[in-house]
């Protein structure tokens, strides 16, 4: 009888310590500090910024910055569901089935809330952009030639050419 090793546990998708993005198995870097604290980085960019002692809340491309600046939802009940889901439990087929259904429903709710959050954030942009466009046109008004003036200049040029031909 040959010894068969037990199947490995499911691979974990860790979150990057710096940018909060997903760290898939076999990707990125894992740094273990002397006090046994483990830091996972999704790519070298995050690791280098960590080593430069940069604050993720001040680096514009990180999720921490986006949440701190109010560009993404910071608090929502759907986040708590995801945190609860990561606890290890004994396998139960019915529990797994209900969990998968709940995950799908929570994902739809989360997408709907994110869309509403985005639309609420973008409410004043159309008016702000219109006012900025008007201000830009007022600033460069001398560069814009009116169609009437352009036609008059064209007619004057054409008459001048006819005069030269006649002469």
């Amino acid at each position: 009888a040959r010894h068969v090793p037990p199947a490995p546990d499911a691979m974990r998708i860790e979150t990057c310590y710096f940018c909060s993005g997903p760290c898939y198995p076999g990707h990125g870097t894992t740094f273990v500090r002397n006090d046994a604290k483990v830091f996972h980085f999704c790519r070298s960019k995050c690791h280098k910024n960590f080593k430069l002692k940069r604050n993720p809340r001040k680096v514009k491309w990180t999720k921490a910055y986006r949440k701190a600046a109010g560009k993404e939802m910071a608090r929502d009940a759907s986040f708590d569901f995801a945190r609860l889901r990561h606890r290890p439990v004994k396998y139960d087929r019915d529990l797994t089935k209900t969990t998968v259904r709940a995950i799908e429903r929570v994902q739809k709710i989360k997408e709907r809330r994110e869309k509403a959050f985005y639309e609420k954030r973008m409410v004043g942009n159309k008016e702000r952009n219109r006012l900025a466009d008007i201000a830009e046109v007022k600033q460069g008004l001398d560069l814009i030639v009116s169609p009437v003036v352009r036609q008059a200049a064209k007619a004057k040029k054409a008459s001048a050419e006819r005069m030269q031909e006649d002469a």
Side-chain angles (χ1 to χ4, degrees):
R2 202 174 83 185
H3 177 265
V4 178
D9 290 333
M11 295 285 187
R12 292 187 86 88
I13 299 174
E14 305 288 347
T15 55
C16 178
Y17 179 80
F18 194 78
C19 74
S20 304
C23 291
Y24 294 100
H27 293 262
T29 311
T30 302
F31 171 66
V32 183
R33 210 163 48 188
N34 287 342
D35 63 353
K37 171 104 172 81
V38 179
F39 300 93
H40 297 282
F41 302 103
C42 59
R43 54 187 180 252
S44 61
K45 177 182 180 180
C46 296
H47 191 203
K48 287 173 186 171
N49 278 288
F50 174 78
K51 288 193 286 188
L52 289 170
K53 296 185 177 177
R54 290 199 175 133
N55 185 349
R57 282 172 291 176
K58 293 184 179 174
V59 180
K60 290 194 173 188
W61 49 268
T62 62
K63 284 189 181 176
Y65 173 84
R66 291 186 60 78
K67 284 182 181 175
K71 295 180 180 293
E72 281 186 13
M73 290 192 305
R75 289 292 319 143
D76 193 44
S78 60
F79 299 147
D80 298 335
F81 180 78
R83 193 170 55 241
L84 289 171
R85 199 176 66 226
H86 288 301
R87 293 198 183 122
V89 292
K90 189 175 179 182
Y91 176 75
D92 178 16
R93 186 175 188 150
D94 295 330
L95 178 66
T96 304
K97 194 185 328 180
T98 54
T99 304
V100 169
R101 283 194 191 130
I103 289 171
E104 291 168 356
R105 285 182 45 218
V106 166
Q107 188 62 33
K108 287 178 185 173
I109 292 168
K110 191 174 176 183
E111 286 171 4
R112 195 173 63 236
R113 286 181 181 172
E114 285 175 351
K115 184 179 177 187
F117 179 79
Y118 176 80
E119 287 171 355
K120 184 179 175 187
R121 209 168 49 97
M122 296 295 151
V123 157
N125 279 7
K126 214 176 249 187
E127 182 64 23
R128 201 175 305 122
N129 289 343
R130 192 180 67 77
L131 293 174
D133 291 344
I134 290 171
E136 188 177 345
V137 167
K138 281 183 181 175
Q139 186 180 6
L141 203 55
D142 57 323
L143 301 174
I144 299 173
V145 180
S146 125
V148 175
V149 174
R150 194 178 303 130
Q151 261 185 342
K154 198 184 255 186
K156 193 175 184 182
K157 189 176 178 183
S159 66
E161 286 177 1
R162 270 192 249 122
M163 291 283 258
Q164 282 182 350
E165 288 175 5
D166 291 342

